[in-house]
Amino acid sequence: MSANGSTESGCRSEVKPSNSICSQKELSVTASVISMTVGIVSNSLALFILVKSYNRIRIKSKASFLLFASSLVITDLLGHLINGSLVLFVYSSQKKWETFDPHRIVCSVFGMCMVFFGLSPLFLGSVMAVERCIGVTRPIFHSTTLVSRHMKRLLGLTWLLAALVAVLPVLLWRPYKVQSSRSWCFFPMEQPKDWLDVLLPLLFSMLGLLALLLSIVCNTLTSCVLLQARLRRKHHCRGTSYHIEMIWQLLGIMLVSCVCWGPLLIHVIILSTRARDESTSFSLLTVVRMATWNQILDPWVYILLRKAVLRKIFLLCPSCRDSKSHNLHRWQRSMLCSSVEKNNPSDCLGRMPLPDAAIKSIT
């Protein structure tokens, strides 16, 4: 309420052409509030689903995947809360940075949060892709070497690396700058002083692109291995349904990250390596707004691409309806074997596929 009041009073005190400017401010504030609210609700719902699945799961490989997935959703949720609150605070202060932030403390915190909550989802997505690739291609090594405490240490190192990149400009006395729109802080893109001001945004972009490339390579390899195993029918009873579920979620995360973050990372590299002869505020702000949708779309990957939802889509698919009974029994066979493997994996190994009558009697 105070933010709306201050905005209105500030608009009344300006000259006549400021009506459009005030409407743009109100529109930006409304968009920020809606984005923040949708992001918090979406991530909270996805976190509830993941935590519920993590508590009841008995498969070690999927427990590791759910640990990273829950950490990714928590990171996105905190990103919406912290960055959204900072944006609303800036707008409520009429973007007068000289008044409320004379020592540039808020700007430094804002910039570090932008970098940290930007790189962390990319790093976590690549780590999840590598972990799943090892779990599918080298299952014995994954089960014997990559134990739970190692996964938690890897998670901590991932956050630590993102935090180190975020705090590096402050440590090197290259603080974050208020951008031309005066609504956010980032690397000094328009007027760098020396090569260090060019290197820092390049480091940010190159690490982000490297994480995306690693995700693409690992997810492609994992998908090819699973597809090859399906085609060769090597797994008659050993359930691979949870592998399929996880790879669909990883592909969804990868696609969302590439679409949302790819333009920003490439744009930052272009701005850092070319001459600064024109304003870049509008184009940079546009790709940043695209990147914020990553934190909104990420949780819906886990909400929509779950086993239960995929099963319903599979049954409603018109192309699958003609062979519904055959495909349904194959799906149920995979689900049943997965549950048997959770309870007693030794009973499932080496057993032939269950007949349709047995499945009907169980379901």
Side-chain angles (χ1 to χ4, degrees):
M1 295 300 291
S2 60
N4 295 334
S6 61
T7 301
E8 293 175 0
S9 62
C11 292
R12 294 193 190 101
S13 62
E14 294 176 354
V15 294
K16 192 173 183 178
S18 66
N19 291 334
S20 60
I21 299 177
C22 292
S23 61
Q24 291 177 0
K25 288 182 179 180
E26 293 175 357
L27 182 61
S28 299
V29 173
T30 303
S32 299
V33 171
I34 293 176
S35 174
M36 182 178 176
T37 304
V38 173
I40 291 175
V41 173
S42 301
N43 283 280
S44 300
L45 178 59
L47 183 61
F48 172 77
I49 294 173
L50 289 171
V51 170
K52 186 178 179 180
S53 300
Y54 183 80
N55 290 332
R56 70 183 181 185
I57 199 66
R58 297 182 182 179
I59 302 177
K60 179 182 176 181
S61 60
K62 189 169 184 179
S64 301
F65 177 84
L66 291 176
L67 174 64
F68 285 111
S70 302
S71 302
L72 174 60
V73 172
I74 291 174
T75 303
D76 288 338
L77 177 61
L78 292 177
H80 272 287
L81 283 172
I82 297 176
N83 288 338
S85 300
L86 288 172
V87 169
L88 294 179
F89 173 75
V90 171
Y91 275 107
S92 66
S93 302
Q94 300 296 312
K95 302 182 183 179
K96 298 178 180 179
W97 291 88
E98 297 81 4
T99 303
F100 68 84
D101 189 29
H103 302 291
R104 298 183 179 178
I105 297 176
V106 177
C107 184
S108 298
V109 174
F110 202 166
M112 287 187 291
C113 289
M114 290 286 293
V115 174
F116 175 78
F117 291 112
L119 286 179
S120 291
L122 299 178
F123 288 167
L124 288 173
S126 63
V127 170
M128 290 165 62
V130 172
E131 185 271 337
R132 197 82 313 266
C133 183
I134 297 175
V136 171
T137 58
R138 297 291 184 269
I140 298 178
F141 173 80
H142 183 276
S143 60
T144 57
T145 305
L146 301 180
V147 296
S148 177
R149 68 174 183 275
H150 291 161
M151 294 293 101
K152 293 178 180 179
R153 289 176 182 176
L154 182 59
L155 175 62
L157 290 175
T158 303
W159 277 330
L160 182 62
L161 177 60
L164 180 62
V165 177
V167 78
L168 195 59
V170 178
L171 296 178
L172 296 177
W173 296 97
R174 294 294 190 277
Y176 295 95
K177 301 285 185 175
V178 179
Q179 301 301 303
S180 299
S181 63
R182 300 185 64 82
S183 60
W184 62 298
C185 293
F186 200 58
F187 296 105
M189 302 300 301
E190 295 185 357
Q191 296 178 348
K193 295 180 179 179
D194 51 20
W195 64 271
L196 197 56
D197 285 342
V198 177
L199 178 63
L200 291 174
L202 280 178
L203 177 65
F204 167 80
S205 296
M206 294 304 295
L207 287 176
L209 289 175
L210 182 62
L212 287 177
L213 179 62
L214 186 61
S215 299
I216 294 174
V217 172
C218 292
N219 288 333
T220 302
L221 180 59
T222 305
S223 301
C224 292
V225 172
L226 289 176
L227 181 61
Q228 187 179 18
R230 284 274 182 174
L231 294 177
R232 292 183 179 181
R233 299 178 180 273
K234 287 184 176 180
H235 301 282
H236 290 295
C237 182
R238 185 176 177 84
T240 59
S241 60
Y242 66 93
H243 283 303
I244 302 299
E245 178 188 19
M246 286 186 285
I247 195 60
W248 272 111
Q249 292 177 348
L250 283 175
L251 290 175
I253 296 171
M254 181 185 69
L255 179 62
V256 169
S257 299
C258 290
V259 172
C260 295
W261 274 100
L264 174 60
L265 298 174
I266 295 175
H267 195 71
V268 169
I269 293 178
I270 295 175
L271 293 180
S272 301
T273 54
R274 71 174 179 83
R276 276 75 178 174
D277 54 353
E278 60 184 38
S279 177
T280 60
S281 59
F282 176 77
S283 58
L284 185 60
L285 183 60
T286 301
V287 292
V288 167
R289 286 173 175 171
M290 287 181 59
T292 57
W293 277 92
N294 181 82
Q295 297 172 330
I296 298 177
L297 297 177
D298 265 348
W300 287 101
V301 172
Y302 304 106
I303 295 173
L304 297 178
L305 298 183
R306 290 179 293 144
K307 187 187 302 182
V309 178
L310 291 175
R311 184 173 181 269
K312 291 179 180 178
I313 296 175
F314 175 79
L315 294 177
L316 293 175
C317 181
S319 61
C320 299
R321 192 174 297 150
D322 297 335
S323 57
K324 180 179 178 181
S325 59
H326 175 70
N327 291 331
L328 177 59
H329 291 163
R330 287 184 61 189
W331 180 277
Q332 289 174 331
R333 211 176 275 129
S334 178
M335 298 297 105
L336 181 61
C337 290
S338 296
S339 61
V340 171
E341 184 183 9
K342 294 176 189 177
N343 295 323
N344 195 354
S346 60
D347 291 344
C348 186
L349 295 176
R351 187 182 295 176
M352 295 299 292
L354 291 175
D356 294 344
I359 295 176
K360 291 179 180 179
S361 62
I362 294 175
T363 57

